[in-house]
Amino acid sequence: MAVRCSRRQPALLITALAVIISVISLFIPAAAAWMPWANPKPNATADLLLAGVKKNEGSSEFIDLTYHMGPVLTANINVHIIWYGTWKSSQKHIIRDFINSISAVNSTKPSVSDWWRTVQMYTDQTGANISSTVTLGKEKNDRFYSYGKSLTRLSIQSVIKSAVTAKTQPLPINPKNGVYLLLTSDDVFVQDFCKGACGFHYFTFPSIVGFTLPYAWIGNSIKQCPGQCAYPFSVPDFIPGLKAAKSPNGDIGVDGMVNVIGHELAEVSTNPLINAWYAGQDPIAPVEIADLCVGIYGTGGGGSYMGQMLKSPDGSTYNINGVKRRFLIQWLWNYVLKYCTGPNALD
């Protein structure tokens, strides 16, 4: 006997699907959802792990950044950029120069490539190290805000899908050595932006994108929360009297983004599928290689002190050199030494 469907069933199915998608979006982990400093609600898990700190730079024998047997990026890493929104060419050049500096071994020391050596220490289960070669891959512009000026975590994945499935000049699909960097311009609001995250990394769902691709999102905070996400080049309102540092490339929002990009690239390389290197017992909220060193940029850094940094002749603040530019990038956790390290260390 044929079974007839009522006209209400399609509508009910659509409503149910919408509810399911909404619920799923609530459970996408904020992997490395991160702010550079001055977050009034710090990561409680990181605070617990750092309870055994002996000195500055996060040193502690009690912190165990453990390998959980998942893959890391051991093949040459290609960083594919999606420029979402309106971008100046000068802004793009700053970010491209940072990525191109990661593998540039001839830069003036302390260099970006020296900073990346801490990331290279991490290995997979075969003992293969994370690649020393990080190259700027293909780029895709979405200057028409295809998914609007307000993005959720799920719509971020839809933006990536559009970029890798575009009819003209799609981004290459590299599940094993590609990192997809979604950068949103200063007029785009992203779920949780400024409320606890300046950037985060995760991986795409095959049900949405068709592939499992490691990605990171970072936003330009200059119009929304520069005191949180572009610190120390802008300072938060709740710390009166604190003087902002001069940014090394003359663009507060983008210089702040470069710091977050460095944070996320280090973590997506060491924990691309959220099952490789992290501390703590909770893979839903992992504490990763860069989380343990938030706010540390030089020797003596810890608490509210960023550490010994460098000054350019024009008075701008930085701690590492790229091929053409200078940058301020936070230090990373060295799991062998059990403290945060960076190439501008005085000791």
Side-chain angles (χ1 to χ4, degrees), residues 80-111:
H80 306 297
I81 300 180
I82 303 169
W83 302 99
Y84 191 88
T86 304
W87 292 88
K88 299 175 182 177
S89 59
S90 59
Q91 295 176 320
K92 291 183 176 182
H93 285 314
I94 295 170
I95 292 171
R96 287 178 186 137
D97 286 348
F98 171 69
I99 294 171
N100 284 327
S101 296
I102 294 175
S103 298
V105 296
N106 294 323
S107 299
T108 302
K109 294 181 178 298
S111 69

Side-chain angles (χ1 to χ4, degrees), residues 161-207:
K161 177 183 179 179
S162 294
V164 300
T165 60
K167 292 182 179 179
T168 58
Q169 298 181 327
L171 293 183
I173 297 168
N174 301 134
K176 292 185 177 180
N177 68 331
V179 173
Y180 297 80
L181 210 57
L182 175 60
L183 306 179
T184 50
S185 58
D186 58 20
D187 54 350
V188 177
F189 175 79
V190 176
Q191 181 182 351
D192 297 328
F193 192 21
C194 299
K195 297 178 181 178
C198 302
F200 65 82
H201 75 89
Y202 203 55
F203 55 86
T204 61
F205 300 154
S207 59

Side-chain angles (χ1 to χ4, degrees), residues 5-262:
C5 296
S6 71
R7 293 182 179 179
R8 294 182 59 195
Q9 284 179 314
L12 290 172
L13 288 171
I14 292 171
T15 302
L17 182 60
V19 171
I20 290 170
I21 290 174
S22 297
V23 171
I24 289 173
S25 69
L26 294 175
F27 289 93
I28 297 178
W34 173 77
M35 307 184 83
W37 188 72
N39 184 355
K41 296 181 180 179
N43 187 318
T45 306
D47 284 351
L48 181 62
L49 288 168
L50 288 168
V53 164
K54 295 186 301 182
K55 66 181 185 65
N56 288 341
E57 293 132 34
S59 173
S60 176
E61 70 271 22
F62 299 109
I63 296 174
D64 189 16
L65 193 67
T66 306
Y67 180 51
H68 295 81
M69 305 305 288
V72 299
L73 301 185
T74 57
N76 292 348
I77 301 167
N78 294 312
V79 181
H80 306 297
I81 300 180
I82 303 169
W83 302 99
Y84 191 88
T86 304
W87 292 88
K88 299 175 182 177
S89 59
S90 59
Q91 295 176 320
K92 291 183 176 182
H93 285 314
I94 295 170
I95 292 171
R96 287 178 186 137
D97 286 348
F98 171 69
I99 294 171
N100 284 327
S101 296
I102 294 175
S103 298
V105 296
N106 294 323
S107 299
T108 302
K109 294 181 178 298
S111 69
V112 177
S113 59
D114 293 334
W115 169 83
W116 187 255
R117 284 183 187 142
T118 300
V119 181
Q120 289 175 243
M121 293 175 54
Y122 290 78
T123 63
D124 66 11
Q125 57 187 298
T126 71
N129 293 84
I130 290 174
S131 178
S132 62
T133 302
V134 180
T135 58
L136 183 62
K138 300 296 183 181
E139 301 178 38
K140 194 72 177 173
N141 292 293
D142 192 338
R143 59 178 62 91
F144 298 112
Y145 308 85
S146 298
Y147 290 84
K149 292 188 175 182
S150 182
L151 301 177
T152 65
R153 291 181 181 270
L154 281 179
S155 61
I156 280 175
Q157 297 208 13
S158 296
V159 174
I160 296 171
K161 177 183 179 179
S162 294
V164 300
T165 60
K167 292 182 179 179
T168 58
Q169 298 181 327
L171 293 183
I173 297 168
N174 301 134
K176 292 185 177 180
N177 68 331
V179 173
Y180 297 80
L181 210 57
L182 175 60
L183 306 179
T184 50
S185 58
D186 58 20
D187 54 350
V188 177
F189 175 79
V190 176
Q191 181 182 351
D192 297 328
F193 192 21
C194 299
K195 297 178 181 178
C198 302
F200 65 82
H201 75 89
Y202 203 55
F203 55 86
T204 61
F205 300 154
S207 59
I208 297 176
V209 180
F211 307 92
T212 301
L213 305 173
Y215 75 91
W217 157 77
I218 297 94
N220 187 337
S221 67
I222 191 63
K223 292 181 179 178
Q224 299 181 54
C225 57
Q228 282 72 43
C229 295
Y231 182 88
F233 308 126
S234 180
V235 296
D237 295 334
F238 58 81
I239 307 181
L242 185 62
K243 185 178 179 181
K246 185 176 180 180
S247 68
N249 297 293
D251 190 309
I252 292 172
V254 174
D255 275 322
M257 285 185 74
V258 168
N259 185 26
V260 187
I261 289 170

